[in-house]
Amino acid sequence: MIVVNTETIPGYQIVELKGMVQGNTVRAKHAGRDIAASFKNLVGGELKGYTELLTESRREAVERMMAQARQLGANAILNVRFSTSAITAGAAELYAYGTAAIVSKIE
Amino acid sequence: MDLIIQLLILMPIGFFFGRAAERKHIKSLEEREKACEGFFVSDLRTFPGISDASREPKMLTGEVTIASDYYKRFAGGLRNFFGGEMKSYVSLMSRARREATLRIIEEARAEGYNAVCNLRLDSADIGGSATTNKASVMVSILASATAYNTNDQAQ
């Protein structure tokens, strides 16, 4: 499946639009990571645990969005956007959305 | 007593370790940016100068979370009282953005692409500072872009 955050795919044409697809997830890290993060807040530097949390959440949200697109019979998702919301400390909601479409190569 | 501990122990720790961490990060950013010279990055929605339309473009993402240190938070608190630019946080934000962008570029290079377009930078709020009190200062940046191949470097 072709997933892009642009509105078009060069070399391909849109055959049929299937509508908007979306996926979301709320994830948290275990308390140990939160404690480690509060120590890091003293000395500065990257919070690897939270970076990982974002990567996992993003992957999960995109995975769910792609599953929905597959169910619609699409082979591409265009114009993917991400949005986040703060629910509580140490957790993040990640929401991915895009437009599912059937595309074909231009000969 | 608490105040004495904060001023005498936590402040120097935050100041020295925080400054060392920041310098190390900026140095690594500069080195890696140099290594990625010639890579074409844009936030255009089209694919400027695309050369190989037979290869599928691919969306890539990059994430990073960086914490501020105790000293900067203290300095930020003072600045908040007097007003003006919070310089220590400006560099924190720009470091996070550069890092997230670099992660995308490095991933794109590893997969054999030489350009990205439609780069988007968003921020996330993991610390929950929007919902709870500002006990810790951290910044999360989410970057996304579409990687493709171009032959024209001088766009």
Side-chain angles (χ1 to χ4, degrees):
Chain A
M1 181 170 286
I2 309 173
V3 181
V4 292
N5 71 349
T6 50
E7 281 156 33
T8 53
I9 310 172
Y12 289 80
Q13 59 185 2
I14 296 166
V15 180
E16 193 185 338
L17 285 171
K18 290 287 187 183
M20 199 168 115
V21 285
Q22 55 207 355
N24 75 333
T25 177
V26 184
R27 292 180 75 96
K29 280 281 176 191
H30 62 81
R33 289 286 205 184
D34 292 333
I35 293 166
S38 65
F39 276 114
K40 258 280 152 87
N41 259 304
L42 189 61
V43 295
E46 184 179 353
L47 301 165
K48 292 223 168 69
Y50 287 155
T51 301
E52 223 172 79
L53 172 72
L54 286 173
T55 311
E56 285 166 8
S57 311
R58 186 117 87 159
R59 211 167 282 160
E60 183 77 45
V62 169
E63 209 47 61
R64 286 181 188 168
M65 178 180 72
M66 281 165 78
Q68 218 179 75
R70 253 180 242 120
Q71 217 164 32
L72 292 172
N75 65 355
I77 305 176
L78 308 165
N79 208 22
V80 175
R81 294 278 180 266
F82 293 97
S83 135
T84 61
S85 14
I87 294 189
T88 174
E93 193 223 7
L94 247 145
Y95 178 60
Y97 55 104
T99 299
I102 297 177
V103 297
S104 73
K105 242 183 185 152
I106 301 168
E107 297 308 328
Chain B
M1 189 62 201
D2 273 4
L3 192 75
I4 295 170
I5 292 175
Q6 280 181 17
L7 286 179
L8 288 183
I9 302 172
L10 298 183
M11 280 270 281
I13 290 178
F15 182 70
F16 288 111
F17 284 91
R19 203 163 64 160
E22 177 162 31
R23 281 191 182 160
K24 202 173 137 203
H25 189 209
I26 289 177
K27 209 174 151 214
S28 121
L29 280 174
E30 277 167 359
E31 274 167 16
R32 285 154 64 207
E33 272 168 2
K34 205 160 215 165
C36 292
E37 234 173 307
F39 192 95
F40 181 64
V41 181
S42 77
D43 65 348
L44 297 171
R45 292 193 204 186
T46 51
F47 295 77
I50 189 160
S51 64
D52 184 9
S54 63
R55 187 170 179 200
E56 289 176 4
K58 190 181 175 191
M59 186 180 75
L60 299 173
T61 60
E63 300 82 16
V64 68
T65 308
I66 302 182
S68 181
D69 59 62
Y70 193 87
Y71 172 77
K72 280 192 171 186
R73 219 155 62 237
F74 181 80
L78 275 184
R79 182 54 79 193
N80 212 344
F81 184 76
F82 292 108
E85 187 182 21
M86 295 165 116
K87 288 214 179 68
S88 54
Y89 290 162
V90 172
S91 82
L92 184 73
M93 296 299 291
S94 74
R95 269 162 58 208
R97 291 220 170 82
R98 279 166 76 185
E99 179 71 42
T101 311
L102 262 179
R103 283 185 185 175
I104 285 194
I105 294 173
E106 281 167 353
E107 203 184 326
R109 270 164 73 106
E111 296 198 25
Y113 293 102
N114 68 357
V116 297
C117 66
N118 204 17
L119 179 73
R120 305 275 141 159
L121 293 160
D122 297 301
S123 62
D125 184 10
I126 305 183
S129 48
T131 49
T132 56
N133 64 333
K134 256 193 176 342
S136 54
V137 176
M138 58 177 109
V139 47
S140 301
I141 298 288
L142 298 146
S144 51
T146 299
Y148 68 102
N149 276 3
T150 175
N151 51 11
D152 192 3
Q153 302 295 335
Q155 287 291 324

